[in-house]
Amino acid sequence: MSTFSLDGLYIAFWVPALVLTAALVIKLPSIVKLWKDPLLRSVGGLLVLACAIFVFAAPPTIAWTNRAFGVPNISAPLVYSLLTTYCGSCLLLVAAWRNGISDRSAVTRRAMRGVLLAYSGVIVAMWVLFALADVHEERLRDLDTYYANTAFIREMIVLYLLAHAVAGLITAKLIWNWVRTGGLDAWLRAGLTCLGVGNATNLIFDSAKLSAVAARWNGHDLDWLSTELAPPVASVAAILIAVGFVLPHVGQYLYRRSRIWLSHWHLRPLYGLMRTVSGDRVPFRLRSAAELRLTRRETFIRDALLRLGRYVDEDLALRAYDAARHLGYESGGATSLAHVVTIHGAIETRRRLREEGTPGPSDSPDMEDLLEGIEDVSRALRHTEDIRAVRERAAAAAAEKVPPI
């Protein structure tokens, strides 16, 4: 076994272990909430397994394991068994994830059964080979190359590397085929890409290890490929795989959050204007969820608009829309600007009638379009020059008593 250290810290082992643990922590709320989902449980188990591999493959843990069992180098088949279990689990998870857990076709069942039997057989064979081998000298960093020419242990090393390489190759191919299909969510595609690159990177790890072992067979020394190159490559691959598992979840969560906060921000101008109408505000709650804050702001605005509705001048709304269209605005932008002008007109009418002591109209026009498009209206409020131009043209049209177009 090998290591890559910096001032005594085995960063090629502990960094990916920490990243994988962080990924598990991120996924844990979803796993607990949706515990009945077998795919989520499998992802959690896979992250635990990957983390355990790097923890048990670190030289200090290797030494502790050997002492705990009282058998030199027993940590080797243990780590290799964890790695082989991880490889087989990846294949099973990708197959189930890609085809859907409800896919019970004969082909899918045979494939999963074949993976389970093959990788279980590899694990049993490795322990048998280790039991037959003579490996009494403990090796914490270079077991693969040191015992490359030793009977039985040589076969165990080659067996775990081939099993790892085959799993990485097949998993990467399945993932890349999936990435090329249409209709995938952008965050899922990005996560799958990271998973594909991570599994492909693992092939570099296998190539480095096998090259170092093969060099020993031919009387050469390329141990640095196994002890210096392979560990950091495996670390990068593990980080990419961890990112691949959590990116769809985190990305979609952050996207939803950003949309909520952006909508909350976009409604700020109209909220401020409606506060002048109602004289009230939305109560501030420090611990309120973002969704609740947005809902409260939307409700406040719609309630204020409904109270203002009976002062709305429908003729002004039509003139403002025609004026905006004449000034070159598209239908959507013209509608939002017309709503803004109409709201300003209603506020002014309400203020004038209150000053005169005259009761307002009892009937209110249909305001469904305005209430549904409050975010666009609020964004239009920021364009004061455009609003002024539409108001002036609508006023000129009213004075001329002719349509502005």
Side-chain angles (χ1 to χ4, degrees):
M1 298 184 187
S2 54
T3 184
F4 175 73
S5 63
L6 181 63
D7 295 331
L9 300 175
Y10 299 99
I11 61 174
F13 298 96
W14 300 124
V15 168
L18 290 174
V19 172
L20 289 162
T21 301
L24 179 61
V25 170
I26 292 172
K27 293 288 290 184
L28 195 58
S30 297
I31 295 171
V32 173
K33 184 178 180 180
L34 302 172
W35 181 251
K36 293 183 179 179
D37 187 337
L39 292 181
L40 274 176
R41 293 202 307 269
S42 298
V43 169
L46 206 61
L47 290 172
V48 171
L49 194 57
C51 185
I53 291 169
F54 283 96
V55 170
F56 280 95
T61 313
I62 290 174
W64 177 87
T65 303
N66 293 337
R67 288 196 304 271
F69 282 93
V71 179
N73 299 310
I74 196 173
S75 60
L78 174 62
V79 172
Y80 298 162
S81 295
L82 289 173
L83 187 60
T84 303
T85 303
Y86 171 82
C87 293
S89 300
C90 276
L91 282 172
L92 293 173
L93 177 61
V94 171
W97 194 8
R98 175 67 177 88
N99 298 323
I101 198 67
S102 60
D103 183 358
R104 300 297 181 185
S105 67
V107 175
T108 302
R109 289 198 303 270
R110 280 198 302 271
M112 290 187 165
R113 200 159 45 237
V115 170
L116 187 60
L117 290 174
Y119 280 84
S120 297
V122 168
I123 293 171
V124 172
M126 286 192 299
W127 282 98
V128 171
L129 290 168
F130 178 78
L132 295 173
D134 182 12
V135 285
H136 295 299
E137 184 175 346
E138 183 180 62
R139 308 301 300 182
L140 301 181
R141 302 183 57 196
D142 59 350
L143 184 141
D144 294 340
T145 50
Y146 185 84
Y147 287 112
N149 289 305
T150 302
F152 300 114
I153 199 73
R154 171 184 59 219
E155 287 75 14
M156 184 190 77
I157 293 167
V158 173
L159 188 60
Y160 99 82
L161 287 174
L162 288 178
H164 187 254
V166 169
L169 186 62
I170 295 175
T171 303
K173 180 176 175 54
L174 289 173
I175 290 173
W176 287 123
N177 289 340
W178 190 1
V179 169
R180 288 197 293 268
T181 60
L184 292 181
D185 174 81
W187 290 107
L188 176 58
R189 189 182 298 277
L192 288 172
T193 301
C194 287
L195 286 174
V197 173
N199 279 278
T201 303
N202 268 329
L203 296 176
I204 302 175
F205 166 87
D206 297 317
S207 299
K209 286 279 188 178
L210 285 169
S211 297
V213 170
R216 281 289 187 128
W217 294 344
N218 293 290
H220 303 293
D221 185 352
L222 293 178
D223 290 8
W224 66 272
L225 290 173
S226 177
T227 58
E228 303 299 329
L229 176 62
V233 168
S235 177
V236 171
I239 292 172
L240 286 169
I241 290 171
V243 170
F245 277 125
V246 302
L247 189 58
H249 172 76
V250 173
Q252 290 165 3
Y253 172 81
L254 293 177
Y255 176 75
R256 289 193 299 268
R257 283 282 166 169
S258 65
R259 293 285 296 178
I260 290 170
W261 283 112
L262 197 58
S263 294
H264 192 271
W265 171 256
H266 285 160
L267 288 172
R268 185 178 180 183
L270 186 55
Y271 169 67
L273 182 61
M274 290 301 100
R275 283 185 59 190
T276 65
V277 174
S278 67
D280 199 1
R281 61 178 295 173
V282 175
F284 177 74
R285 299 286 187 272
L286 184 62
R287 296 185 179 182
S288 295
E291 295 88 344
L292 183 57
R293 292 185 182 185
L294 176 61
T295 300
R296 285 175 173 171
R297 177 164 286 190
E298 290 174 338
T299 302
F300 178 89
I301 291 172
R302 290 193 174 98
D303 288 345
L305 286 173
L306 286 172
R307 289 194 295 270
L308 191 65
R310 61 190 181 129
Y311 300 101
V312 167
D313 185 345
E314 291 185 279
D315 290 335
L316 173 60
L318 292 173
R319 290 196 306 272
Y321 178 79
D322 290 340
R325 292 289 285 166
H326 185 82
L327 291 170
Y329 294 96
E330 297 293 333
S331 177
T335 299
S336 298
L337 287 170
H339 284 325
V340 171
V341 172
T342 305
I343 292 170
H344 279 303
I347 293 173
E348 292 170 2
T349 300
R350 175 176 174 270
R351 184 184 302 115
R352 187 185 73 252
L353 292 176
R354 288 193 171 187
E355 289 174 354
E356 296 173 353
T358 304
S362 58
D363 295 331
S364 176
D366 183 10
M367 298 181 62
E368 183 177 353
D369 289 342
L370 173 57
L371 295 175
E372 289 297 322
I374 57 175
E375 186 171 333
D376 292 332
V377 173
S378 186
R379 295 170 70 176
L381 273 169
R382 300 179 186 273
H383 304 289
T384 54
E385 294 297 325
D386 297 337
I387 297 169
R388 185 181 298 112
V390 172
R391 292 190 67 176
E392 290 175 352
R393 188 164 190 86
E400 296 171 3
K401 303 294 184 180
V402 295
I405 299 181

